[in-house]
Amino acid sequence: MPWLFGNGSSSVRWVGMGQPRDVWLRRFPGAAGGSGAGWELVCFPHAGGSAAYWRPLSLALAPGVDVVAVQYPGRLDRLHEAPVEDLHRLADLIAEVLGPSGGRPRALFGHSMGASLAYEVAVRLGRLPGGGPDLLVVSGRRAPAAARWRDRCVSVDDREIVERVRRLGGTDTALFDEPELLELVLPALRGDYRALASYEDTGGRPLTCPVVALTGDRDPEVTVEEVEAWGEQTSGAFRSHVFGGGHFFLDDHPEAVAELVRGLLPARAG
């Protein structure tokens, strides 16, 4: 699974408001979506993950869908920046970068921690005139009501974080056997898990867009029932899809996931 590291200075720079889109959003060579594509699909990685995780989906959906993946601070080409340890602050920053869609259809797709972040960004965009997304897809993450007490049990101890990530799979765990590589990836993992441990969701039913929830039937992090509770967050339509697999079931079913997403983003007449 694409991971965290890249070249960066040893200094730390805190992210601030007003940064351009190319600081936060990544497109991938060979995925010729661009502004001519019908839909923009904004993808949010899991805890410890990078924008590169979404490259296979981007290639599969090109050229009809313009896939842009969010690059959080503290990984790959943003390794020199400190991770943001507050999901609400991170959502504020990303929502400001995205802004209103300008009439172009937009969907948000988040996996694991990225699902909660995509939800919070959707809430913020929905407060802007013409800003709300047309679709939210959440994956491998329990709904806010089910997450409120579970996330308080998340350990932010480095050793326990590493062991938990090993259990979830989907990661090149050989990284954790190399002290120098582990030193590179731990700050982002630590920051993301701290953000999860302190996260309190925006409550109520703040969304009006359709919500689609995906899960693996053997995910140790979340039950099917906890995922299906995402329907409580929107006044729009809700549906769920269960795949075979664990927490990173997306990696096991790339073609099926791409086909599902493609069907959720139909071409607009005109």
PDB file of all heavy atoms in Angstrom, residues 81-115:
ATOM      1  N   GLU A  81       6.068  19.007   7.106  1.00  0.00           N
ATOM      2  CA  GLU A  81       5.016  19.704   7.844  1.00  0.00           C
ATOM      3  C   GLU A  81       4.508  18.837   8.992  1.00  0.00           C
ATOM      4  O   GLU A  81       4.452  17.615   8.878  1.00  0.00           O
ATOM      5  CB  GLU A  81       3.853  20.047   6.919  1.00  0.00           C
ATOM      6  CG  GLU A  81       4.245  20.952   5.760  1.00  0.00           C
ATOM      7  CD  GLU A  81       3.079  21.191   4.827  1.00  0.00           C
ATOM      8  OE1 GLU A  81       1.952  21.403   5.315  1.00  0.00           O
ATOM      9  OE2 GLU A  81       3.291  21.165   3.598  1.00  0.00           O
ATOM     10  N   ALA A  82       4.131  19.470  10.074  1.00  0.00           N
ATOM     11  CA  ALA A  82       3.590  18.726  11.212  1.00  0.00           C
ATOM     12  C   ALA A  82       2.186  18.221  10.892  1.00  0.00           C
ATOM     13  O   ALA A  82       1.385  18.949  10.298  1.00  0.00           O
ATOM     14  CB  ALA A  82       3.538  19.624  12.444  1.00  0.00           C
ATOM     15  N   PRO A  83       1.866  16.983  11.257  1.00  0.00           N
ATOM     16  CA  PRO A  83       0.494  16.496  11.076  1.00  0.00           C
ATOM     17  C   PRO A  83      -0.493  17.368  11.853  1.00  0.00           C
ATOM     18  O   PRO A  83      -0.162  17.952  12.888  1.00  0.00           O
ATOM     19  CB  PRO A  83       0.543  15.078  11.658  1.00  0.00           C
ATOM     20  CG  PRO A  83       1.987  14.695  11.621  1.00  0.00           C
ATOM     21  CD  PRO A  83       2.754  15.966  11.847  1.00  0.00           C
ATOM     22  N   VAL A  84      -1.703  17.451  11.343  1.00  0.00           N
ATOM     23  CA  VAL A  84      -2.773  18.178  12.023  1.00  0.00           C
ATOM     24  C   VAL A  84      -3.494  17.200  12.930  1.00  0.00           C
ATOM     25  O   VAL A  84      -4.079  16.218  12.454  1.00  0.00           O
ATOM     26  CB  VAL A  84      -3.749  18.806  11.007  1.00  0.00           C
ATOM     27  CG1 VAL A  84      -4.886  19.514  11.736  1.00  0.00           C
ATOM     28  CG2 VAL A  84      -3.010  19.796  10.111  1.00  0.00           C
ATOM     29  N   GLU A  85      -3.469  17.445  14.228  1.00  0.00           N
ATOM     30  CA  GLU A  85      -3.998  16.489  15.200  1.00  0.00           C
ATOM     31  C   GLU A  85      -5.415  16.819  15.644  1.00  0.00           C
ATOM     32  O   GLU A  85      -5.824  16.491  16.754  1.00  0.00           O
ATOM     33  CB  GLU A  85      -3.053  16.410  16.398  1.00  0.00           C
ATOM     34  CG  GLU A  85      -1.663  15.912  16.014  1.00  0.00           C
ATOM     35  CD  GLU A  85      -0.726  15.782  17.190  1.00  0.00           C
ATOM     36  OE1 GLU A  85      -1.141  16.102  18.331  1.00  0.00           O
ATOM     37  OE2 GLU A  85       0.422  15.348  16.983  1.00  0.00           O
ATOM     38  N   ASP A  86      -6.172  17.462  14.770  1.00  0.00           N
ATOM     39  CA  ASP A  86      -7.557  17.825  15.059  1.00  0.00           C
ATOM     40  C   ASP A  86      -8.337  17.683  13.753  1.00  0.00           C
ATOM     41  O   ASP A  86      -8.082  18.406  12.790  1.00  0.00           O
ATOM     42  CB  ASP A  86      -7.623  19.259  15.581  1.00  0.00           C
ATOM     43  CG  ASP A  86      -9.025  19.688  15.993  1.00  0.00           C
ATOM     44  OD1 ASP A  86      -9.971  19.436  15.221  1.00  0.00           O
ATOM     45  OD2 ASP A  86      -9.174  20.292  17.072  1.00  0.00           O
ATOM     46  N   LEU A  87      -9.282  16.752  13.711  1.00  0.00           N
ATOM     47  CA  LEU A  87     -10.013  16.499  12.478  1.00  0.00           C
ATOM     48  C   LEU A  87     -10.857  17.697  12.056  1.00  0.00           C
ATOM     49  O   LEU A  87     -11.053  17.942  10.857  1.00  0.00           O
ATOM     50  CB  LEU A  87     -10.901  15.271  12.614  1.00  0.00           C
ATOM     51  CG  LEU A  87     -10.225  13.902  12.524  1.00  0.00           C
ATOM     52  CD1 LEU A  87     -11.273  12.795  12.450  1.00  0.00           C
ATOM     53  CD2 LEU A  87      -9.306  13.805  11.318  1.00  0.00           C
ATOM     54  N   HIS A  88     -11.376  18.457  13.016  1.00  0.00           N
ATOM     55  CA  HIS A  88     -12.173  19.626  12.661  1.00  0.00           C
ATOM     56  C   HIS A  88     -11.307  20.708  12.031  1.00  0.00           C
ATOM     57  O   HIS A  88     -11.710  21.341  11.046  1.00  0.00           O
ATOM     58  CB  HIS A  88     -12.905  20.160  13.889  1.00  0.00           C
ATOM     59  CG  HIS A  88     -14.084  19.328  14.286  1.00  0.00           C
ATOM     60  ND1 HIS A  88     -15.301  19.404  13.632  1.00  0.00           N
ATOM     61  CD2 HIS A  88     -14.237  18.388  15.236  1.00  0.00           C
ATOM     62  CE1 HIS A  88     -16.153  18.551  14.181  1.00  0.00           C
ATOM     63  NE2 HIS A  88     -15.524  17.920  15.163  1.00  0.00           N
ATOM     64  N   ARG A  89     -10.127  20.916  12.565  1.00  0.00           N
ATOM     65  CA  ARG A  89      -9.222  21.897  11.961  1.00  0.00           C
ATOM     66  C   ARG A  89      -8.798  21.441  10.574  1.00  0.00           C
ATOM     67  O   ARG A  89      -8.729  22.243   9.633  1.00  0.00           O
ATOM     68  CB  ARG A  89      -7.992  22.099  12.852  1.00  0.00           C
ATOM     69  CG  ARG A  89      -7.000  23.104  12.269  1.00  0.00           C
ATOM     70  CD  ARG A  89      -5.933  23.482  13.293  1.00  0.00           C
ATOM     71  NE  ARG A  89      -4.999  24.431  12.711  1.00  0.00           N
ATOM     72  CZ  ARG A  89      -3.814  24.117  12.199  1.00  0.00           C
ATOM     73  NH1 ARG A  89      -3.416  22.861  12.195  1.00  0.00           N
ATOM     74  NH2 ARG A  89      -3.030  25.039  11.685  1.00  0.00           N
ATOM     75  N   LEU A  90      -8.517  20.158  10.433  1.00  0.00           N
ATOM     76  CA  LEU A  90      -8.137  19.623   9.134  1.00  0.00           C
ATOM     77  C   LEU A  90      -9.283  19.782   8.135  1.00  0.00           C
ATOM     78  O   LEU A  90      -9.065  20.150   6.974  1.00  0.00           O
ATOM     79  CB  LEU A  90      -7.743  18.155   9.285  1.00  0.00           C
ATOM     80  CG  LEU A  90      -7.052  17.474   8.106  1.00  0.00           C
ATOM     81  CD1 LEU A  90      -5.820  18.241   7.649  1.00  0.00           C
ATOM     82  CD2 LEU A  90      -6.685  16.038   8.468  1.00  0.00           C
ATOM     83  N   ALA A  91     -10.516  19.535   8.580  1.00  0.00           N
ATOM     84  CA  ALA A  91     -11.678  19.701   7.706  1.00  0.00           C
ATOM     85  C   ALA A  91     -11.850  21.160   7.302  1.00  0.00           C
ATOM     86  O   ALA A  91     -12.209  21.456   6.148  1.00  0.00           O
ATOM     87  CB  ALA A  91     -12.940  19.184   8.394  1.00  0.00           C
ATOM     88  N   ASP A  92     -11.603  22.081   8.221  1.00  0.00           N
ATOM     89  CA  ASP A  92     -11.694  23.505   7.894  1.00  0.00           C
ATOM     90  C   ASP A  92     -10.718  23.866   6.772  1.00  0.00           C
ATOM     91  O   ASP A  92     -11.066  24.574   5.823  1.00  0.00           O
ATOM     92  CB  ASP A  92     -11.378  24.362   9.126  1.00  0.00           C
ATOM     93  CG  ASP A  92     -12.467  24.326  10.180  1.00  0.00           C
ATOM     94  OD1 ASP A  92     -13.616  23.961   9.840  1.00  0.00           O
ATOM     95  OD2 ASP A  92     -12.175  24.667  11.341  1.00  0.00           O
ATOM     96  N   LEU A  93      -9.485  23.391   6.906  1.00  0.00           N
ATOM     97  CA  LEU A  93      -8.451  23.704   5.924  1.00  0.00           C
ATOM     98  C   LEU A  93      -8.801  23.149   4.545  1.00  0.00           C
ATOM     99  O   LEU A  93      -8.669  23.832   3.526  1.00  0.00           O
ATOM    100  CB  LEU A  93      -7.106  23.135   6.389  1.00  0.00           C
ATOM    101  CG  LEU A  93      -6.479  23.792   7.624  1.00  0.00           C
ATOM    102  CD1 LEU A  93      -5.372  22.907   8.189  1.00  0.00           C
ATOM    103  CD2 LEU A  93      -5.932  25.170   7.294  1.00  0.00           C
ATOM    104  N   ILE A  94      -9.258  21.906   4.504  1.00  0.00           N
ATOM    105  CA  ILE A  94      -9.557  21.264   3.229  1.00  0.00           C
ATOM    106  C   ILE A  94     -10.799  21.886   2.594  1.00  0.00           C
ATOM    107  O   ILE A  94     -10.842  22.104   1.370  1.00  0.00           O
ATOM    108  CB  ILE A  94      -9.730  19.751   3.422  1.00  0.00           C
ATOM    109  CG1 ILE A  94      -8.413  19.138   3.909  1.00  0.00           C
ATOM    110  CG2 ILE A  94     -10.185  19.082   2.129  1.00  0.00           C
ATOM    111  CD1 ILE A  94      -8.539  17.705   4.374  1.00  0.00           C
ATOM    112  N   ALA A  95     -11.817  22.165   3.398  1.00  0.00           N
ATOM    113  CA  ALA A  95     -13.025  22.782   2.846  1.00  0.00           C
ATOM    114  C   ALA A  95     -12.722  24.142   2.248  1.00  0.00           C
ATOM    115  O   ALA A  95     -13.291  24.516   1.204  1.00  0.00           O
ATOM    116  CB  ALA A  95     -14.092  22.904   3.939  1.00  0.00           C
ATOM    117  N   GLU A  96     -11.827  24.893   2.878  1.00  0.00           N
ATOM    118  CA  GLU A  96     -11.471  26.201   2.326  1.00  0.00           C
ATOM    119  C   GLU A  96     -10.753  26.049   0.990  1.00  0.00           C
ATOM    120  O   GLU A  96     -10.979  26.814   0.048  1.00  0.00           O
ATOM    121  CB  GLU A  96     -10.583  26.969   3.291  1.00  0.00           C
ATOM    122  CG  GLU A  96     -10.348  28.396   2.827  1.00  0.00           C
ATOM    123  CD  GLU A  96      -9.082  29.019   3.377  1.00  0.00           C
ATOM    124  OE1 GLU A  96      -8.108  28.289   3.614  1.00  0.00           O
ATOM    125  OE2 GLU A  96      -9.073  30.239   3.532  1.00  0.00           O
ATOM    126  N   VAL A  97      -9.879  25.046   0.886  1.00  0.00           N
ATOM    127  CA  VAL A  97      -9.157  24.810  -0.369  1.00  0.00           C
ATOM    128  C   VAL A  97     -10.128  24.394  -1.475  1.00  0.00           C
ATOM    129  O   VAL A  97     -10.030  24.861  -2.616  1.00  0.00           O
ATOM    130  CB  VAL A  97      -8.075  23.733  -0.165  1.00  0.00           C
ATOM    131  CG1 VAL A  97      -7.528  23.244  -1.496  1.00  0.00           C
ATOM    132  CG2 VAL A  97      -6.944  24.282   0.695  1.00  0.00           C
ATOM    133  N   LEU A  98     -11.082  23.514  -1.158  1.00  0.00           N
ATOM    134  CA  LEU A  98     -12.023  23.032  -2.174  1.00  0.00           C
ATOM    135  C   LEU A  98     -12.990  24.130  -2.597  1.00  0.00           C
ATOM    136  O   LEU A  98     -13.184  24.366  -3.791  1.00  0.00           O
ATOM    137  CB  LEU A  98     -12.796  21.827  -1.644  1.00  0.00           C
ATOM    138  CG  LEU A  98     -12.014  20.529  -1.489  1.00  0.00           C
ATOM    139  CD1 LEU A  98     -12.880  19.478  -0.798  1.00  0.00           C
ATOM    140  CD2 LEU A  98     -11.544  20.007  -2.844  1.00  0.00           C
ATOM    141  N   GLY A  99     -13.623  24.798  -1.643  1.00  0.00           N
ATOM    142  CA  GLY A  99     -14.592  25.823  -1.958  1.00  0.00           C
ATOM    143  C   GLY A  99     -15.786  25.276  -2.721  1.00  0.00           C
ATOM    144  O   GLY A  99     -15.901  24.064  -2.949  1.00  0.00           O
ATOM    145  N   PRO A 100     -16.689  26.155  -3.161  1.00  0.00           N
ATOM    146  CA  PRO A 100     -17.837  25.703  -3.958  1.00  0.00           C
ATOM    147  C   PRO A 100     -17.379  25.063  -5.261  1.00  0.00           C
ATOM    148  O   PRO A 100     -16.330  25.408  -5.811  1.00  0.00           O
ATOM    149  CB  PRO A 100     -18.617  27.003  -4.211  1.00  0.00           C
ATOM    150  CG  PRO A 100     -18.179  27.933  -3.126  1.00  0.00           C
ATOM    151  CD  PRO A 100     -16.743  27.593  -2.858  1.00  0.00           C
ATOM    152  N   SER A 101     -18.165  24.146  -5.773  1.00  0.00           N
ATOM    153  CA  SER A 101     -17.778  23.393  -6.963  1.00  0.00           C
ATOM    154  C   SER A 101     -17.984  24.165  -8.256  1.00  0.00           C
ATOM    155  O   SER A 101     -17.564  23.704  -9.321  1.00  0.00           O
ATOM    156  CB  SER A 101     -18.572  22.090  -7.028  1.00  0.00           C
ATOM    157  OG  SER A 101     -19.957  22.371  -7.217  1.00  0.00           O
ATOM    158  N   GLY A 102     -18.658  25.300  -8.185  1.00  0.00           N
ATOM    159  CA  GLY A 102     -18.895  26.085  -9.389  1.00  0.00           C
ATOM    160  C   GLY A 102     -19.880  25.456 -10.347  1.00  0.00           C
ATOM    161  O   GLY A 102     -19.824  25.696 -11.559  1.00  0.00           O
ATOM    162  N   GLY A 103     -20.764  24.637  -9.839  1.00  0.00           N
ATOM    163  CA  GLY A 103     -21.773  23.998 -10.668  1.00  0.00           C
ATOM    164  C   GLY A 103     -21.361  22.647 -11.214  1.00  0.00           C
ATOM    165  O   GLY A 103     -22.187  21.923 -11.775  1.00  0.00           O
ATOM    166  N   ARG A 104     -20.118  22.283 -11.067  1.00  0.00           N
ATOM    167  CA  ARG A 104     -19.653  20.967 -11.513  1.00  0.00           C
ATOM    168  C   ARG A 104     -20.024  19.924 -10.456  1.00  0.00           C
ATOM    169  O   ARG A 104     -19.838  20.156  -9.259  1.00  0.00           O
ATOM    170  CB  ARG A 104     -18.139  21.004 -11.698  1.00  0.00           C
ATOM    171  CG  ARG A 104     -17.533  19.728 -12.228  1.00  0.00           C
ATOM    172  CD  ARG A 104     -16.022  19.843 -12.223  1.00  0.00           C
ATOM    173  NE  ARG A 104     -15.376  18.721 -12.874  1.00  0.00           N
ATOM    174  CZ  ARG A 104     -14.069  18.498 -12.829  1.00  0.00           C
ATOM    175  NH1 ARG A 104     -13.283  19.318 -12.159  1.00  0.00           N
ATOM    176  NH2 ARG A 104     -13.558  17.460 -13.449  1.00  0.00           N
ATOM    177  N   PRO A 105     -20.535  18.762 -10.836  1.00  0.00           N
ATOM    178  CA  PRO A 105     -20.885  17.756  -9.824  1.00  0.00           C
ATOM    179  C   PRO A 105     -19.643  17.269  -9.090  1.00  0.00           C
ATOM    180  O   PRO A 105     -18.600  17.031  -9.703  1.00  0.00           O
ATOM    181  CB  PRO A 105     -21.547  16.636 -10.626  1.00  0.00           C
ATOM    182  CG  PRO A 105     -21.057  16.819 -12.026  1.00  0.00           C
ATOM    183  CD  PRO A 105     -20.840  18.287 -12.205  1.00  0.00           C
ATOM    184  N   ARG A 106     -19.772  17.117  -7.791  1.00  0.00           N
ATOM    185  CA  ARG A 106     -18.636  16.727  -6.948  1.00  0.00           C
ATOM    186  C   ARG A 106     -19.074  15.659  -5.953  1.00  0.00           C
ATOM    187  O   ARG A 106     -20.140  15.750  -5.339  1.00  0.00           O
ATOM    188  CB  ARG A 106     -18.103  17.938  -6.191  1.00  0.00           C
ATOM    189  CG  ARG A 106     -17.041  17.605  -5.148  1.00  0.00           C
ATOM    190  CD  ARG A 106     -16.719  18.825  -4.298  1.00  0.00           C
ATOM    191  NE  ARG A 106     -15.827  19.751  -4.994  1.00  0.00           N
ATOM    192  CZ  ARG A 106     -15.615  21.005  -4.597  1.00  0.00           C
ATOM    193  NH1 ARG A 106     -16.266  21.478  -3.551  1.00  0.00           N
ATOM    194  NH2 ARG A 106     -14.769  21.778  -5.256  1.00  0.00           N
ATOM    195  N   ALA A 107     -18.236  14.649  -5.797  1.00  0.00           N
ATOM    196  CA  ALA A 107     -18.449  13.611  -4.796  1.00  0.00           C
ATOM    197  C   ALA A 107     -17.224  13.552  -3.893  1.00  0.00           C
ATOM    198  O   ALA A 107     -16.104  13.828  -4.331  1.00  0.00           O
ATOM    199  CB  ALA A 107     -18.682  12.257  -5.461  1.00  0.00           C
ATOM    200  N   LEU A 108     -17.433  13.197  -2.640  1.00  0.00           N
ATOM    201  CA  LEU A 108     -16.353  12.987  -1.684  1.00  0.00           C
ATOM    202  C   LEU A 108     -16.330  11.511  -1.314  1.00  0.00           C
ATOM    203  O   LEU A 108     -17.372  10.900  -1.085  1.00  0.00           O
ATOM    204  CB  LEU A 108     -16.560  13.836  -0.421  1.00  0.00           C
ATOM    205  CG  LEU A 108     -16.825  15.334  -0.594  1.00  0.00           C
ATOM    206  CD1 LEU A 108     -16.931  16.010   0.776  1.00  0.00           C
ATOM    207  CD2 LEU A 108     -15.779  16.004  -1.451  1.00  0.00           C
ATOM    208  N   PHE A 109     -15.111  10.933  -1.222  1.00  0.00           N
ATOM    209  CA  PHE A 109     -14.958   9.504  -0.927  1.00  0.00           C
ATOM    210  C   PHE A 109     -13.834   9.375   0.106  1.00  0.00           C
ATOM    211  O   PHE A 109     -12.683   9.715  -0.167  1.00  0.00           O
ATOM    212  CB  PHE A 109     -14.588   8.770  -2.215  1.00  0.00           C
ATOM    213  CG  PHE A 109     -14.526   7.257  -2.113  1.00  0.00           C
ATOM    214  CD1 PHE A 109     -14.402   6.498  -3.268  1.00  0.00           C
ATOM    215  CD2 PHE A 109     -14.595   6.580  -0.905  1.00  0.00           C
ATOM    216  CE1 PHE A 109     -14.327   5.107  -3.226  1.00  0.00           C
ATOM    217  CE2 PHE A 109     -14.537   5.197  -0.830  1.00  0.00           C
ATOM    218  CZ  PHE A 109     -14.400   4.464  -2.002  1.00  0.00           C
ATOM    219  N   GLY A 110     -14.172   8.879   1.295  1.00  0.00           N
ATOM    220  CA  GLY A 110     -13.166   8.722   2.340  1.00  0.00           C
ATOM    221  C   GLY A 110     -13.145   7.310   2.882  1.00  0.00           C
ATOM    222  O   GLY A 110     -14.199   6.665   3.026  1.00  0.00           O
ATOM    223  N   HIS A 111     -11.935   6.817   3.182  1.00  0.00           N
ATOM    224  CA  HIS A 111     -11.796   5.483   3.763  1.00  0.00           C
ATOM    225  C   HIS A 111     -11.259   5.592   5.186  1.00  0.00           C
ATOM    226  O   HIS A 111     -10.296   6.318   5.453  1.00  0.00           O
ATOM    227  CB  HIS A 111     -10.858   4.623   2.928  1.00  0.00           C
ATOM    228  CG  HIS A 111     -10.668   3.231   3.480  1.00  0.00           C
ATOM    229  ND1 HIS A 111     -11.703   2.315   3.516  1.00  0.00           N
ATOM    230  CD2 HIS A 111      -9.601   2.619   4.054  1.00  0.00           C
ATOM    231  CE1 HIS A 111     -11.271   1.193   4.064  1.00  0.00           C
ATOM    232  NE2 HIS A 111     -10.007   1.350   4.400  1.00  0.00           N
ATOM    233  N   SER A 112     -11.885   4.848   6.113  1.00  0.00           N
ATOM    234  CA  SER A 112     -11.460   4.792   7.511  1.00  0.00           C
ATOM    235  C   SER A 112     -11.476   6.198   8.111  1.00  0.00           C
ATOM    236  O   SER A 112     -12.509   6.864   8.060  1.00  0.00           O
ATOM    237  CB  SER A 112     -10.090   4.115   7.609  1.00  0.00           C
ATOM    238  OG  SER A 112      -9.813   3.708   8.927  1.00  0.00           O
ATOM    239  N   MET A 113     -10.372   6.675   8.683  1.00  0.00           N
ATOM    240  CA  MET A 113     -10.352   8.041   9.197  1.00  0.00           C
ATOM    241  C   MET A 113     -10.787   9.032   8.117  1.00  0.00           C
ATOM    242  O   MET A 113     -11.456  10.035   8.395  1.00  0.00           O
ATOM    243  CB  MET A 113      -8.958   8.415   9.695  1.00  0.00           C
ATOM    244  CG  MET A 113      -8.868   9.830  10.271  1.00  0.00           C
ATOM    245  SD  MET A 113      -7.177  10.424  10.545  1.00  0.00           S
ATOM    246  CE  MET A 113      -6.732  10.932   8.873  1.00  0.00           C
ATOM    247  N   GLY A 114     -10.414   8.751   6.867  1.00  0.00           N
ATOM    248  CA  GLY A 114     -10.792   9.628   5.767  1.00  0.00           C
ATOM    249  C   GLY A 114     -12.283   9.752   5.580  1.00  0.00           C
ATOM    250  O   GLY A 114     -12.768  10.758   5.055  1.00  0.00           O
ATOM    251  N   ALA A 115     -13.055   8.740   5.999  1.00  0.00           N
ATOM    252  CA  ALA A 115     -14.508   8.819   5.900  1.00  0.00           C
ATOM    253  C   ALA A 115     -15.051   9.878   6.851  1.00  0.00           C
ATOM    254  O   ALA A 115     -15.915  10.679   6.485  1.00  0.00           O
ATOM    255  CB  ALA A 115     -15.129   7.454   6.200  1.00  0.00           C
TER     256      ALA A 115
END
